[in-house]
Coordinates of all heavy atoms in Angstrom, one line a residue:
M152 N 12.4 76.8 139.8 CA 11.7 75.9 140.7 C 12.2 74.5 140.6 O 12.5 74.1 139.5 CB 10.2 75.9 140.5 CG 9.3 75.2 141.5 SD 7.6 75.1 141.1 CE 7.1 76.8 141.0
Q153 N 12.5 73.8 141.6 CA 12.9 72.4 141.6 C 11.7 71.5 141.8 O 11.0 71.6 142.7 CB 13.9 72.2 142.7 CG 15.2 72.8 142.5 CD 16.0 72.1 141.4 OE1 15.9 72.2 140.2 NE2 17.0 71.2 141.9
Y154 N 11.7 70.5 140.9 CA 10.6 69.5 141.0 C 11.2 68.2 141.5 O 12.4 67.9 141.4 CB 10.0 69.3 139.6 CG 9.4 70.5 139.1 CD1 9.8 71.1 137.9 CD2 8.3 71.1 139.8 CE1 9.3 72.2 137.5 CE2 7.7 72.3 139.3 CZ 8.2 72.8 138.1 OH 7.7 74.0 137.7
P155 N 10.4 67.3 142.1 CA 11.0 66.1 142.7 C 11.3 65.0 141.6 O 11.8 63.9 142.0 CB 9.8 65.5 143.6 CG 8.6 66.2 143.0 CD 9.0 67.5 142.4
S156 N 11.1 65.3 140.4 CA 11.4 64.3 139.3 C 12.0 65.2 138.1 O 11.4 66.1 137.7 CB 10.1 63.7 139.0 OG 10.3 63.1 137.6
Q157 N 13.0 64.6 137.5 CA 13.6 65.2 136.3 C 12.6 65.1 135.2 O 12.6 66.0 134.2 CB 14.9 64.5 135.9 CG 14.7 63.0 135.6 CD 16.1 62.5 135.1 OE1 16.7 63.0 134.3 NE2 16.4 61.2 135.6
Y158 N 11.7 64.1 135.2 CA 10.7 64.0 134.1 C 9.7 65.0 134.2 O 9.1 65.5 133.2 CB 10.2 62.5 134.2 CG 11.3 61.5 134.1 CD1 11.6 60.7 135.2 CD2 12.1 61.3 133.0 CE1 12.5 59.8 135.2 CE2 13.0 60.4 132.9 CZ 13.4 59.6 134.0 OH 14.4 58.7 134.0
I159 N 9.3 65.4 135.4 CA 8.3 66.4 135.7 C 8.9 67.7 135.2 O 8.3 68.5 134.5 CB 7.9 66.5 137.1 CG1 7.1 65.3 137.5 CG2 7.0 67.8 137.4 CD1 6.7 65.2 139.0
E160 N 10.2 67.9 135.5 CA 10.9 69.2 135.1 C 10.9 69.3 133.6 O 10.6 70.3 133.0 CB 12.3 69.1 135.7 CG 13.2 70.3 135.2 CD 12.7 71.6 135.7 OE1 12.3 71.7 136.8 OE2 13.0 72.6 134.9
K161 N 11.4 68.2 132.9 CA 11.4 68.2 131.4 C 10.0 68.4 130.8 O 9.9 69.2 129.9 CB 12.0 66.9 130.9 CG 12.2 66.8 129.4 CD 13.2 67.8 129.0 CE 13.4 67.7 127.5 NZ 14.3 68.8 126.9
A162 N 9.0 67.7 131.4 CA 7.7 67.9 130.8 C 7.2 69.4 131.0 O 6.7 70.0 130.0 CB 6.7 66.9 131.5
V163 N 7.4 70.0 132.1 CA 7.0 71.4 132.4 C 7.8 72.3 131.4 O 7.2 73.2 130.8 CB 7.3 71.8 133.9 CG1 7.2 73.2 134.1 CG2 6.4 71.1 134.8
E164 N 9.0 72.0 131.2 CA 9.9 72.8 130.4 C 9.3 72.8 128.9 O 9.2 73.8 128.2 CB 11.3 72.3 130.4 CG 12.3 73.0 129.5 CD 13.6 72.4 129.5 OE1 14.1 72.0 130.6 OE2 14.2 72.2 128.4
E165 N 8.9 71.6 128.5 CA 8.4 71.5 127.1 C 7.0 72.0 127.0 O 6.7 72.7 125.9 CB 8.4 70.0 126.7 CG 9.8 69.4 126.5 CD 10.7 70.1 125.5 OE1 10.1 70.5 124.4 OE2 11.8 70.3 125.7
I166 N 6.1 71.7 127.9 CA 4.7 72.2 127.8 C 4.7 73.8 127.9 O 3.9 74.5 127.2 CB 3.8 71.6 128.9 CG1 3.7 70.1 128.8 CG2 2.4 72.3 129.0 CD1 3.1 69.4 130.0
A167 N 5.6 74.3 128.7 CA 5.7 75.8 128.8 C 6.1 76.5 127.6 O 6.0 77.7 127.5 CB 6.5 76.2 130.1
K168 N 6.6 75.8 126.6 CA 7.1 76.3 125.3 C 5.9 76.7 124.4 O 6.0 77.5 123.5 CB 8.0 75.4 124.5 CG 9.3 75.3 125.2 CD 10.1 74.3 124.4 CE 11.6 74.1 125.0 NZ 12.4 73.1 124.2
L169 N 4.6 76.1 124.8 CA 3.5 76.3 124.0 C 3.0 77.8 124.3 O 3.1 78.3 125.4 CB 2.4 75.3 124.4 CG 2.8 73.9 124.0 CD1 1.7 72.9 124.7 CD2 2.7 73.7 122.5
P170 N 2.4 78.4 123.2 CA 2.0 79.8 123.4 C 0.8 79.9 124.5 O -0.1 79.1 124.5 CB 1.4 80.2 122.0 CG 1.2 78.8 121.3 CD 2.1 77.8 121.9
G171 N 1.0 80.9 125.3 CA 0.0 81.1 126.4 C 0.1 80.3 127.6 O -0.8 80.3 128.5
I172 N 1.1 79.4 127.6 CA 1.3 78.5 128.7 C 2.5 78.9 129.6 O 3.6 78.7 129.1 CB 1.4 77.0 128.2 CG1 0.2 76.5 127.3 CG2 1.5 76.0 129.5 CD1 -1.1 76.3 128.0
G173 N 2.3 79.3 130.8 CA 3.4 79.6 131.7 C 3.8 78.3 132.4 O 3.1 77.3 132.4
R174 N 4.8 78.4 133.2 CA 5.4 77.2 134.0 C 4.3 76.8 135.0 O 4.3 75.5 135.2 CB 6.7 77.6 134.7 CG 7.9 77.7 133.7 CD 9.2 78.0 134.4 NE 9.6 76.8 135.2 CZ 10.3 75.7 134.8 NH1 10.6 75.6 133.6 NH2 10.6 74.8 135.7
K175 N 3.6 77.6 135.6 CA 2.6 77.2 136.6 C 1.5 76.3 135.9 O 1.1 75.3 136.5 CB 2.0 78.5 137.2 CG 1.1 78.2 138.5 CD 0.7 79.5 139.1 CE -0.3 79.2 140.3 NZ -0.8 80.6 140.8
T176 N 1.0 76.8 134.8 CA 0.0 76.1 134.1 C 0.6 74.7 133.6 O 0.0 73.7 133.6 CB -0.6 76.8 132.9 OG1 -1.2 78.0 133.4 CG2 -1.6 76.1 132.1
A177 N 1.8 74.8 133.1 CA 2.5 73.6 132.5 C 2.7 72.6 133.7 O 2.3 71.4 133.4 CB 3.9 74.0 132.0
L178 N 3.0 73.0 134.9 CA 3.0 72.1 136.0 C 1.7 71.4 136.3 O 1.5 70.3 136.5 CB 3.6 72.8 137.2 CG 3.6 71.9 138.5 CD1 4.5 70.7 138.3 CD2 4.1 72.7 139.7
R179 N 0.6 72.3 136.2 CA -0.8 71.8 136.5 C -1.2 70.7 135.5 O -1.7 69.7 135.8 CB -1.7 73.0 136.5 CG -3.1 72.7 136.9 CD -3.9 73.9 137.2 NE -4.0 74.7 136.0 CZ -4.8 74.5 135.0 NH1 -5.6 73.5 135.0 NH2 -4.9 75.3 133.9
L180 N -0.8 71.0 134.2 CA -1.1 70.0 133.2 C -0.3 68.7 133.3 O -0.8 67.6 133.1 CB -0.8 70.6 131.8 CG -1.8 71.8 131.4 CD1 -1.3 72.5 130.1 CD2 -3.2 71.3 131.2
A181 N 0.9 68.9 133.7 CA 1.9 67.7 133.9 C 1.3 66.8 135.0 O 1.3 65.6 135.0 CB 3.3 68.1 134.2
L182 N 0.9 67.5 136.2 CA 0.4 66.8 137.3 C -0.9 66.1 137.0 O -1.3 65.0 137.4 CB 0.2 67.7 138.5 CG 1.6 68.3 139.1 CD1 1.3 69.2 140.2 CD2 2.5 67.0 139.5
H183 N -1.7 66.8 136.1 CA -3.0 66.2 135.7 C -2.7 64.9 134.8 O -3.4 63.9 135.1 CB -3.7 67.2 134.7 CG -4.9 66.7 134.0 ND1 -6.2 66.5 134.6 CD2 -5.1 66.2 132.8 CE1 -7.0 66.0 133.7 NE2 -6.3 65.8 132.6
L184 N -1.7 64.9 134.0 CA -1.5 63.8 133.2 C -1.0 62.6 134.1 O -1.3 61.4 133.9 CB -0.4 64.0 132.2 CG -0.8 65.0 131.0 CD1 0.4 65.4 130.2 CD2 -1.9 64.3 130.2
L185 N -0.3 62.9 135.2 CA 0.2 61.9 136.1 C -1.0 61.2 136.8 O -0.9 60.1 137.3 CB 1.2 62.5 137.1 CG 2.5 62.8 136.7 CD1 3.4 63.4 137.7 CD2 3.3 61.4 136.1
R186 N -2.1 62.0 137.0 CA -3.2 61.4 137.7 C -4.1 60.6 136.8 O -5.1 59.8 137.2 CB -4.1 62.5 138.4 CG -3.3 63.1 139.5 CD -4.3 64.0 140.4 NE -4.7 65.2 139.5 CZ -4.2 66.4 139.5 NH1 -3.1 66.6 140.3 NH2 -4.7 67.3 138.8
R187 N -4.0 60.8 135.5 CA -4.9 60.1 134.5 C -4.3 58.7 134.1 O -3.2 58.4 134.5 CB -5.1 61.0 133.3 CG -5.6 62.4 133.6 CD -7.0 62.4 134.3 NE -8.0 61.8 133.4 CZ -9.3 61.6 133.7 NH1 -9.7 62.1 134.8 NH2 -10.1 61.0 132.9
E188 N -5.1 58.0 133.4 CA -4.7 56.7 132.9 C -3.5 56.9 132.0 O -3.5 57.9 131.2 CB -5.8 56.0 132.2 CG -6.9 55.5 133.0 CD -6.6 54.5 134.0 OE1 -5.7 53.6 133.6 OE2 -7.2 54.4 135.1
E189 N -2.5 56.0 132.0 CA -1.3 56.0 131.1 C -1.8 56.1 129.6 O -1.1 56.8 128.8 CB -0.4 54.8 131.3 CG 0.4 54.8 132.5 CD 1.3 53.6 132.7 OE1 1.5 52.9 131.7 OE2 1.7 53.3 133.8
S190 N -2.9 55.3 129.3 CA -3.4 55.3 127.9 C -3.8 56.7 127.5 O -3.6 57.0 126.2 CB -4.6 54.3 127.8 OG -5.6 54.8 128.6
E191 N -4.3 57.6 128.4 CA -4.6 58.9 127.9 C -3.4 59.7 127.5 O -3.5 60.4 126.5 CB -5.4 59.7 129.1 CG -6.8 59.3 129.2 CD -7.5 60.2 130.2 OE1 -7.2 61.4 130.1 OE2 -8.4 59.7 130.9
T192 N -2.3 59.6 128.2 CA -1.1 60.3 127.8 C -0.5 59.7 126.6 O 0.0 60.4 125.7 CB 0.0 60.2 129.0 OG1 -0.7 60.7 130.2 CG2 1.2 61.0 128.7
E193 N -0.6 58.3 126.4 CA -0.2 57.8 125.1 C -0.9 58.3 124.0 O -0.4 58.5 123.0 CB -0.2 56.2 125.3 CG 0.9 55.6 126.2 CD 0.6 54.1 126.4 OE1 -0.5 53.6 126.0 OE2 1.5 53.5 126.9
S194 N -2.2 58.3 124.1 CA -3.1 58.9 123.1 C -2.8 60.3 122.8 O -2.7 60.7 121.6 CB -4.5 58.7 123.6 OG -5.4 59.2 122.6
L195 N -2.5 61.1 123.8 CA -2.1 62.6 123.5 C -0.9 62.6 122.7 O -0.7 63.4 121.8 CB -2.1 63.3 124.9 CG -1.5 64.7 124.9 CD1 -2.5 65.6 124.0 CD2 -1.4 65.3 126.2
A196 N 0.1 61.9 123.3 CA 1.5 61.9 122.7 C 1.4 61.5 121.2 O 2.0 62.0 120.2 CB 2.4 61.0 123.4
G197 N 0.6 60.4 120.9 CA 0.4 59.9 119.6 C -0.2 61.0 118.7 O 0.1 61.1 117.5
A198 N -1.3 61.6 119.2 CA -2.0 62.6 118.5 C -1.0 63.8 118.1 O -1.1 64.2 116.9 CB -3.2 63.1 119.2
L199 N -0.2 64.2 119.0 CA 0.7 65.2 118.8 C 1.7 64.9 117.7 O 2.1 65.6 116.8 CB 1.5 65.7 120.1 CG 0.5 66.4 121.1 CD1 1.3 66.6 122.3 CD2 -0.1 67.6 120.6
L200 N 2.3 63.6 117.8 CA 3.2 63.2 116.8 C 2.5 63.0 115.4 O 3.2 63.5 114.4 CB 3.8 61.8 117.2 CG 4.9 61.9 118.2 CD1 5.3 60.4 118.6 CD2 6.1 62.6 117.6
D201 N 1.4 62.5 115.4 CA 0.7 62.4 114.1 C 0.4 63.8 113.5 O 0.6 64.0 112.3 CB -0.6 61.6 114.3 CG -0.5 60.1 114.4 OD1 0.6 59.6 114.1 OD2 -1.5 59.5 114.8
L202 N 0.0 64.7 114.3 CA -0.2 66.0 113.9 C 1.0 66.6 113.2 O 0.9 67.1 112.0 CB -0.6 67.0 115.1 CG -0.6 68.4 114.8 CD1 -1.8 68.8 114.0 CD2 -0.5 69.2 116.1
R203 N 2.1 66.4 113.8 CA 3.4 67.1 113.3 C 4.0 66.3 112.2 O 4.6 66.9 111.3 CB 4.4 67.2 114.5 CG 5.6 68.0 114.2 CD 5.2 69.4 113.7 NE 6.3 70.2 113.3 CZ 6.6 70.3 112.0 NH1 6.0 69.6 111.1 NH2 7.6 71.1 111.6
L204 N 3.9 65.0 112.2 CA 4.6 64.2 111.3 C 3.8 63.9 110.0 O 4.3 63.6 108.9 CB 5.1 62.9 111.9 CG 6.1 63.0 113.1 CD1 6.5 61.7 113.6 CD2 7.3 63.8 112.7
K205 N 2.4 63.8 110.1 CA 1.6 63.4 109.1 C 0.8 64.5 108.4 O 0.3 64.3 107.3 CB 0.8 62.3 109.6 CG 1.5 61.0 110.0 CD 0.6 59.9 110.5 CE 1.3 58.8 111.0 NZ 0.4 57.7 111.5
T206 N 0.6 65.6 109.1 CA -0.2 66.7 108.4 C 0.8 67.5 107.6 O 2.0 67.8 107.9 CB -0.8 67.6 109.6 OG1 -1.5 66.8 110.4 CG2 -1.7 68.7 108.9
R207 N 0.4 67.8 106.4 CA 1.2 68.5 105.4 C 0.4 69.6 104.7 O -0.8 69.7 105.0 CB 1.8 67.6 104.5 CG 0.8 66.9 103.6 CD 1.4 65.9 102.7 NE 2.0 64.8 103.5 CZ 2.7 63.8 102.9 NH1 2.9 63.8 101.6 NH2 3.3 62.8 103.6
Y208 N 1.0 70.3 103.8 CA 0.3 71.2 102.9 C 0.2 70.6 101.6 O 1.1 70.0 101.0 CB 1.1 72.6 102.9 CG 1.1 73.3 104.2 CD1 2.1 73.1 105.1 CD2 0.0 74.1 104.6 CE1 2.2 73.8 106.4 CE2 0.0 74.7 105.8 CZ 1.1 74.6 106.7 OH 1.1 75.2 107.9
C209 N -1.1 70.7 101.1 CA -1.3 70.3 99.7 C -0.3 70.9 98.7 O -0.1 72.1 98.7 CB -2.7 70.6 99.3 SG -3.1 70.3 97.5
S210 N 0.3 70.1 97.9 CA 1.4 70.6 97.0 C 0.8 71.5 95.9 O 1.5 72.2 95.2 CB 2.2 69.4 96.4 OG 1.4 68.6 95.7
N211 N -0.5 71.5 95.7 CA -1.2 72.3 94.7 C -1.7 73.6 95.3 O -1.4 74.6 94.7 CB -2.3 71.4 94.0 CG -2.9 72.1 92.9 OD1 -2.2 72.6 92.0 ND2 -4.3 72.3 92.9
C212 N -2.6 73.4 96.3 CA -3.3 74.7 96.8 C -2.7 75.2 98.2 O -3.0 76.2 98.6 CB -4.7 74.4 96.9 SG -5.2 73.3 98.3
H213 N -1.8 74.4 98.8 CA -1.2 74.7 100.1 C -2.1 74.8 101.3 O -1.7 75.4 102.3 CB -0.4 76.1 99.8 CG 0.5 76.1 98.7 ND1 1.7 75.3 98.7 CD2 0.5 76.7 97.5 CE1 2.2 75.4 97.5 NE2 1.6 76.3 96.8
N214 N -3.3 74.3 101.2 CA -4.2 74.1 102.3 C -3.6 72.9 103.1 O -2.9 72.0 102.6 CB -5.6 73.9 101.9 CG -6.4 75.1 101.7 OD1 -6.1 76.1 102.3 ND2 -7.3 75.1 100.7
L215 N -4.1 72.8 104.4 CA -3.6 71.7 105.2 C -4.3 70.4 104.7 O -5.4 70.4 104.2 CB -4.0 71.9 106.7 CG -3.2 73.0 107.4 CD1 -3.9 73.3 108.8 CD2 -1.8 72.4 107.6
S216 N -3.5 69.3 104.7 CA -4.0 68.0 104.2 C -3.3 66.9 104.8 O -2.1 67.0 105.3 CB -3.8 68.0 102.7 OG -4.1 66.8 102.1
D217 N -3.9 65.7 104.8 CA -3.2 64.5 105.2 C -2.5 63.8 104.1 O -1.7 62.9 104.3 CB -4.2 63.5 105.8 CG -4.8 64.0 107.1 OD1 -4.3 65.0 107.7 OD2 -5.8 63.4 107.6
T218 N -2.7 64.2 102.9 CA -2.1 63.6 101.7 C -1.4 64.7 100.9 O -1.5 65.9 101.1 CB -3.1 63.0 100.8 OG1 -4.2 63.9 100.6 CG2 -3.8 61.8 101.5
E219 N -0.5 64.2 100.0 CA 0.3 65.1 99.1 C -0.6 66.1 98.3 O -0.3 67.3 98.3 CB 1.1 64.2 98.1 CG 1.9 65.0 97.1 CD 3.2 65.6 97.7 OE1 3.6 65.1 98.8 OE2 3.7 66.6 97.1
I220 N -1.7 65.5 97.8 CA -2.7 66.4 97.2 C -3.9 66.3 97.9 O -4.4 65.2 98.3 CB -3.0 65.8 95.7 CG1 -1.7 65.8 94.9 CG2 -4.1 66.7 95.0 CD1 -1.2 67.2 94.5
C221 N -4.6 67.5 98.3 CA -5.8 67.4 99.2 C -7.0 66.8 98.4 O -6.9 66.7 97.2 CB -6.0 68.8 99.8 SG -6.9 69.9 98.6
A222 N -8.0 66.5 99.1 CA -9.2 65.9 98.6 C -9.9 66.8 97.5 O -10.4 66.3 96.5 CB -10.2 65.5 99.7
I223 N -9.8 68.1 97.8 CA -10.5 69.0 96.8 C -9.7 69.0 95.5 O -10.4 68.9 94.4 CB -10.6 70.4 97.4 CG1 -11.5 70.4 98.7 CG2 -11.0 71.5 96.4 CD1 -11.4 71.7 99.4
C224 N -8.4 69.2 95.6 CA -7.6 69.2 94.4 C -7.5 67.8 93.6 O -7.4 67.7 92.4 CB -6.1 69.6 94.7 SG -5.9 71.3 95.2
A225 N -7.7 66.7 94.5 CA -7.7 65.4 93.9 C -8.9 65.1 93.0 O -8.9 64.2 92.3 CB -7.5 64.4 95.0
N226 N -10.0 65.8 93.3 CA -11.2 65.6 92.5 C -11.2 66.6 91.2 O -11.3 67.8 91.4 CB -12.4 65.9 93.3 CG -13.7 65.6 92.7 OD1 -13.8 65.7 91.4 ND2 -14.7 65.3 93.4
P227 N -11.0 66.0 90.1 CA -10.9 66.8 88.9 C -12.0 67.7 88.6 O -12.0 68.8 88.0 CB -10.6 65.8 87.8 CG -11.0 64.6 88.3 CD -10.9 64.6 89.8
A228 N -13.3 67.2 89.1 CA -14.5 68.0 88.8 C -14.6 69.2 89.8 O -15.4 70.1 89.6 CB -15.7 67.1 88.9
G229 N -13.8 69.2 90.8 CA -13.9 70.3 91.7 C -14.9 70.2 92.8 O -15.2 71.1 93.5
M230 N -15.6 68.9 92.8 CA -16.8 68.8 93.7 C -16.5 67.6 94.5 O -15.9 66.5 94.1 CB -18.1 68.6 93.0 CG -18.4 69.9 92.2 SD -20.0 69.7 91.4 CE -19.8 68.2 90.3
L231 N -16.9 67.5 95.8 CA -16.7 66.4 96.6 C -18.0 65.5 96.5 O -19.1 66.1 96.6 CB -16.5 66.7 98.1 CG -15.2 67.3 98.4 CD1 -15.2 67.8 99.8 CD2 -14.0 66.5 98.1
L232 N -17.8 64.3 96.2 CA -19.0 63.4 96.1 C -19.6 63.1 97.5 O -18.8 62.7 98.4 CB -18.6 62.0 95.4 CG -18.0 62.3 93.9 CD1 -17.5 61.0 93.4 CD2 -19.1 62.9 93.0
P233 N -20.9 63.2 97.6 CA -21.5 63.0 99.0 C -21.4 61.6 99.5 O -21.2 61.4 100.7 CB -22.9 63.5 98.8 CG -23.2 63.4 97.3 CD -21.9 63.7 96.6
F234 N -21.3 60.6 98.6 CA -21.3 59.2 99.1 C -20.1 58.5 98.6 O -20.0 57.3 98.5 CB -22.5 58.5 98.8 CG -23.8 59.1 99.3 CD1 -24.6 59.8 98.5 CD2 -24.1 59.1 100.7 CE1 -25.8 60.5 99.0 CE2 -25.2 59.7 101.2 CZ -26.1 60.4 100.3
A235 N -19.0 59.3 98.3 CA -17.8 58.6 97.8 C -17.2 57.8 98.9 O -17.1 58.1 100.0 CB -16.8 59.6 97.3
Ligands
ZN344 ZN1 -5.2 71.2 97.4

């Protein structure tokens, strides 16, 4: 399918790589983003980048974490303090 914009085409191509998303849904999502405020798309793009670049696995227990050592492993007592 030919789109009137190379940027729409590229966005559809990338969104359609996500599991369960076909090109028709990808186009619908891309057109939705075009109708919303620019700040919403910037926020979505930022969240996706942060997810991919900043989320890691705890080097001790291999659970998902924002830090090298997760909060559970970082607490030597093995308990999270309720008001820490
Ligand atoms: Zn851990």
Side-chain angles (χ1 to χ4, degrees):
M152 189 188 300
Q153 285 287 81
Y154 300 115
S156 158
Q157 63 174 316
Y158 305 112
I159 293 175
E160 173 65 35
K161 182 64 177 168
V163 168
E164 181 184 315
E165 293 301 321
I166 295 169
K168 289 179 181 176
L169 295 169
I172 307 287
R174 287 184 65 86
K175 190 174 174 183
T176 299
L178 175 61
R179 189 168 57 80
L180 293 171
L182 294 177
H183 170 80
L184 290 172
L185 284 176
R186 289 191 299 265
R187 305 299 300 183
E188 292 292 327
E189 285 182 19
S190 62
E191 281 190 37
T192 304
E193 287 173 350
S194 182
L195 172 62
L199 292 174
L200 277 175
D201 282 348
L202 168 73
R203 190 59 186 92
L204 299 178
K205 297 180 180 177
T206 304
R207 60 182 66 185
Y208 293 95
C209 171
S210 62
N211 187 52
C212 72
H213 308 293
N214 275 323
L215 287 168
S216 175
D217 289 350
T218 52
E219 176 74 23
I220 302 291
C221 77
I223 296 170
C224 291
N226 185 331
M230 296 182 299
L231 292 174
L232 300 175
F234 300 107

